[in-house]
Amino acid sequence: MLTFATLGMFAYGAYSAAWAVVDVVRGARIELWAEALIVVFGLLLVLAAAFVRVRMPGGLAVAISAMLALQALAVHTAAHLESGLVPQIGRGVLAFFLVGSALAGEDTRRTG
C-alpha cells in the first residue's frame, strides 16, 4: 500500500506541475502567480512522495500540506475555468485515498 500511495502522490504532483506548464505554453488561462504556485506545490508533492516512501518523519505531513495547497489552487482554477464542483470532489477523494493508503502501508510495515 505504501508503494501505491507513493506512486499516486508522485503522479498527482507531476500531473499538476505538467498541467500548469502546458497551460502557460498554450496561453495562460489563469494568473501566472497561480500557475507558478501549482508548479511549486506539484514539485513539492513529488519530493514529499519520496519522503513518504522512506517513512521520513514529517514526510506525510509535507505531502498532505502540498495536496491541500494544490486543492486550494484547484478551487481558484475552477472559478476561472468554470469547471464546477465535481473535479474538486474527485481531487479530495483522491487525496484522502492516498493519505489513507500511506497510513495503512506504514502501519503494516511497523507490525510486520
Side-chain angles (χ1 to χ4, degrees):
M1 290 298 272
L2 189 59
T3 301
F4 178 76
T6 301
L7 290 174
M9 288 178 192
F10 178 85
Y12 183 16
Y15 169 78
S16 296
W19 179 87
V21 169
V22 168
D23 192 46
V24 167
V25 169
R26 287 186 172 175
R29 295 179 289 172
I30 61 174
E31 294 91 356
L32 288 177
W33 65 265
E35 302 275 15
L37 285 175
I38 291 171
V39 170
V40 167
F41 288 118
L43 294 177
L44 181 63
L45 183 56
V46 167
L47 179 64
F51 292 162
V52 168
R53 179 67 183 114
V54 297
R55 297 184 320 167
M56 178 178 279
L60 189 57
V62 172
I64 291 169
S65 65
M67 285 189 282
L68 284 172
L70 286 172
Q71 180 68 36
L73 288 165
V75 169
H76 174 263
T77 302
H80 282 285
L81 303 181
E82 299 177 5
S83 60
L85 186 62
V86 175
Q88 305 310 314
I89 293 170
R91 282 178 175 255
V93 168
L94 175 66
F96 278 120
F97 182 73
L98 291 174
V99 170
S101 297
L103 286 172
E106 285 184 0
D107 290 341
T108 303
R109 292 188 88 185
R110 286 186 184 147
T111 60

